[in-house]
């Protein structure tokens, strides 16, 4: 289908460069060292191409977080990266083969233990149910304690009206509880309007849900998908219907 439409993706581009590299070496770039952050967002093929530029493993430093591996089609593991680098070292035909070192940075300075414990429990489930799909790394921890995230059962889309309507005395009680728990700022005048700012966000599963929720809240709140919110920080987060809108149930 891609050939008929003359389309290509990032993997096609990488393979094209590889084919060119067989005819002409890539060593003329004269890059001495490189630091690659968020390496989990790269395919192993992309990293293999990067390795062709260097003549020794000690020139490269990778950093990443497997829990943030959310790119479609990517199943990054540090085990695979280690194996790739080791095999690359063997092709150098050098007696001094360097084995890549792996170490954990498991102290999180951007969150508290309440959230990290919940995140760790999800990662442990993945490790138990799909042991070969994720690295076995130590759990993240924080030097700051905090409350566990709150789960609201029975939340309906109509409750998002609280973000746009300011004269709704009949709003469900637990909607106010949500806003109180999230420490949302209210206007000085007595009303049911909840003001979301740059420190608060509603995160949804995909673009379809994002469009639907955006229509409901208007400019009353920031709505982002998981991909949109990657790398961003917020004080208050409402994760809406993350499992309900998951495509996994359609594959069973």
């Amino acid at each position: 289908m891609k050939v008929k439409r003359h389309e290509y993706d990032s993997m096609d581009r990488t393979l094209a460069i590889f084919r060119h590299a067989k005819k002409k070496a890539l060593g003329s770039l004269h890059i001495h060292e490189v630091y690659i952050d968020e390496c989990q967002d790269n395919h192993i093929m992309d990293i293999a191409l990067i390795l062709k530029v260097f003549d020794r493993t000690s020139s490269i430093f990778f950093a990443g977080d497997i829990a943030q591996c959310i790119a479609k089609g990517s199943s990054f593991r540090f085990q695979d990266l280690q194996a790739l680098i080791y095999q690359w070292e063997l092709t150098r035909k050098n007696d001094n083969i360097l084995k890549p070192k792996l170490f954990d940075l498991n102290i999180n300075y951007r969150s508290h233990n309440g959230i990290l414990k919940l995140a760790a429990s999800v990662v442990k489930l993945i490790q138990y149910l799909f042991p070969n799909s994720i690295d076995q790394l130590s759990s993240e921890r924080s030097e700051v304690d905090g409350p566990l995230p709150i789960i609201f059962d029975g939340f309906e889309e109509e409750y998002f009206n609280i973000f746009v309507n300011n004269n709704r005395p009949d709003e469900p009680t637990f909607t106010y509880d949500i806003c109180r728990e999230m420490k949302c700022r209210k206007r000085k005048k007595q009303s049911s309007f909840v003001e979301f700012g740059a420190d608060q966000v509603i995160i949804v599963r995909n673009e379809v849900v994002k469009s639907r929720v955006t229509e409901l809240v208007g400019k009353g709140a920031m709505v982002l998908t998981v991909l949109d919110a990657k790398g961003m920080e917020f004080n208050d987060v409402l994760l809406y219907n993350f499992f309900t809108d998951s495509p996994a149930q359609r594959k069973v």
Side-chain angles (χ1 to χ4, degrees), residues 7-8 22 27 64 71 82-83 92 140 157 181 221:
E7 297 175 342
Y8 65 92
K22 289 182 179 180
Q82 282 184 297
R92 293 174 55 237
E140 284 190 358
E157 286 188 350
E181 294 292 348

Side-chain angles (χ1 to χ4, degrees), residues 113-250:
N113 281 323
I115 294 176
L116 294 177
K117 287 179 180 178
L118 176 62
S121 67
V122 175
V123 173
K124 287 181 179 178
L125 280 175
I126 297 175
Q127 291 174 339
Y128 176 75
L129 297 173
F130 309 98
N132 296 322
S133 66
I134 191 171
D135 292 302
Q136 302 287 331
L137 302 176
S138 58
S139 299
E140 284 190 358
R141 60 183 177 85
S142 174
E143 296 182 344
V144 180
D145 290 327
L148 290 171
I150 300 171
I151 298 176
F152 296 95
D153 187 20
F155 189 91
E156 301 292 341
E157 286 188 350
E158 63 187 56
Y159 299 147
F160 281 124
N161 290 332
I162 193 173
F163 298 110
V164 292
N165 296 333
N166 56 9
N167 291 307
R168 294 289 299 277
D170 57 339
E171 288 290 345
T173 303
F174 83 92
T175 305
Y176 288 110
D177 293 339
I178 291 175
C179 300
R180 183 166 59 251
E181 294 292 348
M182 294 177 65
K183 299 179 182 178
C184 300
R185 299 189 300 273
K186 291 187 177 181
R187 291 186 182 275
K188 292 182 179 180
K189 62 180 181 179
Q190 295 297 322
S191 71
S192 61
F193 180 84
V194 177
E195 182 182 2
F196 259 39
D199 294 330
Q200 293 81 30
V201 68
I202 300 172
I203 296 180
V204 296
R205 166 70 74 164
N206 52 50
E207 291 290 341
V208 175
V209 183
K210 176 183 176 180
S211 299
R212 188 168 70 243
V213 174
T214 300
E215 290 181 2
L216 293 171
V217 302
K219 296 182 179 180
M222 184 184 302
V223 184
L224 300 174
T225 64
V226 177
L227 285 173
D228 293 336
K230 187 177 184 299
M232 303 178 70
E233 295 184 34
F234 302 94
N235 291 336
D236 308 304
V237 176
L238 175 60
L239 187 62
Y240 176 66
N241 271 3
F242 186 77
F243 297 105
T244 302
D245 297 320
S246 172
Q249 60 183 345
R250 297 195 293 268

Side-chain angles (χ1 to χ4, degrees), residues 37-70:
D37 194 14
E38 305 289 356
C39 63
Q40 78 280 347
D41 292 335
N42 296 280
H43 296 282
I44 288 295
M45 179 68 73
D46 298 322
I47 296 176
L49 178 60
I50 294 173
L51 292 178
K52 291 182 69 66
V53 180
F54 301 93
D55 60 356
R56 60 186 185 278
T57 303
S58 58
S59 301
I60 309 173
F61 184 90
F62 294 95
D65 182 2
I66 55 173
Q68 296 187 44
C69 185
I70 59 177

